Amino acid sequence: MKAVRKFKTSVQIPLVSNSAFQALTKTSRFLSQDVPQIPNCEYEPKKYTGPTYEQIKKIKDKHLITPFGTAYKEPLLLHDGKMQWLFDHTGKRYLDVFGGIVTVSVGHCHPKVNEAAIEQMKSIWHTTNIYLQPRLHEYAEKLASKFPGDLKVVYLVNSGTEANDLAILLARLYTKNLHIISLRNSYHGVSAITMGVTALSTWKHNIPVSPGLHHAMNPDVYNGLWGGLHCRDSPVQTTRHCDCKPPECKACGMYYDQLEEIFKYSLPTGKVAAFLVESIQGVGGVVQFPKGYLKKVFELVRLNGGVCIADEVQTGFGRTGEHYWGFEMHGVMPDIVTMAKGIGNGYPMGAVVTTPAIADSLKQALFFNTFGGNPVASAVGLAVLQVIEEEKMQENAHMVGTYFLKKLSALRDQFDCVGDVRGKGLMIGVEMVTDSETREPLPAKQFVDIWEECKNMGVLLGRGGMFGNVFRLKPPMCFTKEDADFTVNVLQAAIEKHIEKQNKTVKI
């Protein structure tokens, strides 16, 4: 029975047939009775003394706007954390393999970052940047030193959405053009402007957005029209057939041709403001582009009067391992870079880095951010940069991430429902499918069963992709090989338990 995709806020896909479930595993050993042993942790969590679990749930239902909802059937009440570990109100320990939605870069409550915040709070919390204050200027200089070329001017904000808002404003002011291009399946925020460049229907409200926004075909070498086993920059390639002969990538040219169609038919000649792109798509399910694609696109955008914006909200600060910034893996030089999440290890902050010429365009009128670059945020940001250097977090992301990817690829070889494993460093996606041939998304209920089972065994994973069928594995960069082994063992046990359950259901 063929699954049918319904493009609404949720996707309903029928259960697969008995014959399909017989092929669900390739060589499963059905060891789900054996619960993997969680790695040791010397930290002793503080005793929880807050409102009861039931009181918290009542407060949430009565007083909080929660359109996104909480993860898991029984939401976790988390109250303590240490490096890669989180603790709930009962004291149960969890391995955080989602890093607070790719935000905890160097570890929960890292002592050096904590100390920097505490020390700054003892002197002054807030001034706004109408005054000079040392932490802001020290941090701006240090952050700018991490960028190549003429990317040397910093403006601090409070989130990734704010950073992308400002980047779009800068691009339009500098080029005096209106039109912004982003990719389908991308996520750049949910403000009135960034909701328009975000191209996932599940994140769009039925309201007017900024004019002049265009979405190009997503160059997804696993789920897209073209691509295969030679096309992406990852230790693990897709299993799709590919006619490419490295270093050439035919898929790159085909997806580029689709983008060029927008320039031919939808845009005024030479009137592009910007192309906005994630180095690896995050919310969309850790999607990687064909090799060479961004380099060709950046050239086309600039020929048509536009600038190139790299969204590094999830891929920045060494997470991809081989490079400090995700755009570097594509061999490109953006004109504007946006960042947030890992920039403050959980402290709410973001930034835009650009060239002096583009930055000057903002002086056409007054512009101000009350909390951006406040002394505490700047002290925290500076400490994060120091920890990444001193503790070689980028090198660890590369070493452990590559190890993790290869271990996860063994699950793809073992289970037919594991369709794809992809990523770089500690930015990893595992796409779950009904079977590897059709690549149809695993139904939501079945995916959630596996997700819940992983949580029960002590592993917290993210969820993403258009159909919510991709595990997002983006832990703090202090993550170890032992943590990776534990995660893989838990995921394997959860998949095996799920298959046993489904086989029993089919037989009944």
Side-chain angles (χ1 to χ4, degrees):
M1 176 169 58
K2 187 175 181 180
V4 178
R5 302 186 186 190
K6 298 183 179 180
F7 291 88
K8 295 184 179 180
T9 54
S10 61
V11 179
Q12 299 174 351
I13 305 175
L15 291 177
V16 297
S17 64
N18 185 36
S19 60
F21 266 111
Q22 290 175 357
L24 199 57
T25 62
K26 294 171 182 174
T27 55
S28 176
R29 292 174 292 160
F30 297 103
L31 299 177
S32 57
Q33 297 85 354
D34 300 327
V35 177
Q37 182 66 41
I38 193 168
N40 291 328
C41 172
E42 295 181 359
Y43 178 75
E44 188 68 28
K46 296 179 284 293
K47 184 178 180 180
Y48 179 70
T49 58
T52 67
Y53 185 83
E54 291 304 319
Q55 287 173 330
I56 291 287
K57 289 178 70 174
K58 287 179 181 178
I59 293 169
K60 169 187 168 294
D61 293 340
K62 186 175 181 179
H63 297 295
L64 295 177
I65 299 175
T66 54
F68 190 81
T70 51
Y72 306 116
K73 296 172 184 176
E74 288 296 323
L76 293 174
L77 176 53
L78 299 171
H79 86 107
D80 201 0
K82 186 67 174 178
M83 302 308 284
Q84 64 268 51
W85 302 105
L86 287 169
F87 302 85
D88 70 12
H89 66 295
T90 70
K92 181 175 178 179
R93 178 162 54 101
Y94 299 88
L95 180 60
D96 184 6
V97 191
F98 199 22
I101 313 184
V102 210
T103 300
V104 180
S105 50
V106 299
H108 291 280
C109 296
H110 189 288
K112 182 161 187 168
V113 180
N114 277 10
E115 186 61 27
I118 293 167
E119 284 302 308
Q120 185 58 50
M121 287 179 183
K122 289 178 180 178
S123 55
I124 189 167
W125 286 37
H126 180 72
T127 58
T128 78
N129 51 24
I130 64 171
Y131 307 110
L132 300 179
Q133 53 101 351
R135 294 294 88 78
L136 168 61
H137 297 80
E138 291 169 355
Y139 179 59
E141 183 179 48
K142 182 69 172 179
L143 182 61
S145 74
K146 297 295 183 181
F147 286 90
D150 209 18
L151 293 166
K152 298 302 178 189
V153 183
V154 177
Y155 196 99
L156 295 179
V157 293
N158 306 289
S159 70
T161 290
E162 286 186 37
N164 283 327
D165 264 351
L166 177 54
I168 291 169
L169 175 62
L170 283 167
R172 284 174 165 168
L173 289 173
Y174 178 71
T175 64
K176 297 180 172 56
N177 295 332
L178 172 69
H179 297 274
I180 308 289
I181 303 169
S182 61
L183 294 176
R184 296 172 193 163
N185 199 58
S186 64
Y187 178 89
H188 299 288
V190 287
S191 68
I193 292 178
T194 57
M195 188 187 298
V197 288
T198 289
L200 288 159
S201 61
T202 47
W203 291 92
K204 288 182 174 290
H205 288 278
N206 187 27
I207 61 170
V209 296
S210 171
L213 304 179
H214 308 266
H215 302 131
M217 178 183 284
N218 192 36
D220 181 348
V221 300
Y222 177 68
N223 279 311
L225 295 179
W226 308 287
L229 52 82
H230 297 300
C231 293
R232 68 188 179 205
D233 180 16
S234 173
V236 181
Q237 298 293 333
T238 75
T239 56
R240 292 179 70 180
H241 173 72
C242 183
D243 292 327
C244 300
K245 294 181 180 179
E248 293 183 14
C249 178
K250 293 183 178 180
C252 170
M254 293 173 180
Y255 287 116
Y256 174 82
D257 290 344
Q258 293 298 309
L259 174 71
E260 205 171 35
E261 295 280 296
I262 293 177
F263 284 83
K264 287 179 181 177
Y265 300 110
S266 301
L267 301 176
T269 303
K271 295 298 181 181
V272 176
F275 176 68
L276 171 61
V277 66
E278 300 164 272
S279 298
I280 297 175
Q281 290 180 335
V283 174
V286 197
V287 173
Q288 293 180 274
F289 313 134
K291 298 172 187 175
Y293 174 78
L294 286 190
K295 186 173 287 189
K296 289 169 66 76
V297 172
F298 275 31
E299 291 172 0
L300 180 64
V301 170
R302 287 172 175 145
L303 283 172
N304 284 271
V307 297
C308 300
I309 305 171
D311 181 335
E312 293 287 332
V313 170
Q314 295 194 27
T315 50
F317 299 94
R319 175 161 293 279
T320 59
E322 290 182 356
H323 303 94
Y324 205 84
W325 305 109
F327 66 78
E328 293 175 297
M329 77 177 82
H330 297 282
V332 297
M333 175 70 80
D335 304 291
I336 305 172
V337 183
T338 63
M339 64 213 74
K341 291 189 179 288
I343 190 174
N345 198 46
Y347 193 92
M349 59 186 298
V352 175
V353 176
T354 188
T355 66
I358 294 174
D360 279 348
S361 64
L362 197 59
K363 297 176 182 178
Q364 296 173 28
L366 295 177
F367 184 88
F368 187 67
N369 188 297
T370 300
F371 299 105
N374 72 78
V376 179
S378 299
V380 166
L382 186 59
V384 168
L385 295 180
Q386 292 168 345
V387 169
I388 293 171
E389 288 180 4
E390 294 166 2
E391 300 185 15
K392 300 188 183 300
M393 292 282 187
Q394 180 184 339
E395 291 86 341
N396 189 67
H398 174 55
M399 178 185 66
V400 176
T402 302
Y403 174 84
F404 198 11
L405 277 160
K406 291 180 178 178
K407 293 279 287 189
L408 289 164
S409 71
L411 296 184
R412 184 192 62 184
D413 297 338
Q414 180 180 357
F415 298 107
D416 204 47
C417 61
V418 180
D420 195 33
V421 173
R422 52 185 178 255
K424 288 277 287 187
L426 287 174
M427 186 158 181
I428 297 171
V430 178
E431 183 154 348
M432 305 299 291
V433 296
T434 56
D435 69 76
S436 59
E437 292 300 317
T438 66
R439 300 193 301 279
E440 290 289 345
L442 192 70
K445 184 179 184 305
Q446 296 178 36
F447 183 95
V448 168
D449 283 347
I450 300 170
W451 192 39
E452 291 275 354
E453 193 60 38
C454 288
K455 182 262 289 184
N456 293 340
M457 288 187 279
V459 171
L460 305 182
L461 303 175
R463 185 183 180 194
M466 179 65 210
F467 302 100
N469 67 315
V470 179
F471 287 114
R472 296 168 65 195
L473 292 75
K474 305 167 185 183
M477 292 188 292
C478 55
F479 200 71
T480 68
K481 287 184 177 180
E482 187 179 17
D483 298 331
D485 288 338
F486 175 60
T487 304
V488 172
N489 291 339
V490 164
L491 193 52
Q492 176 182 355
I495 292 171
E496 288 176 340
K497 185 171 182 178
H498 161 72
I499 292 169
E500 292 179 51
K501 177 181 176 181
Q502 292 301 128
N503 280 338
K504 288 177 182 177
T505 303
V506 170
K507 288 178 182 179
I508 292 173

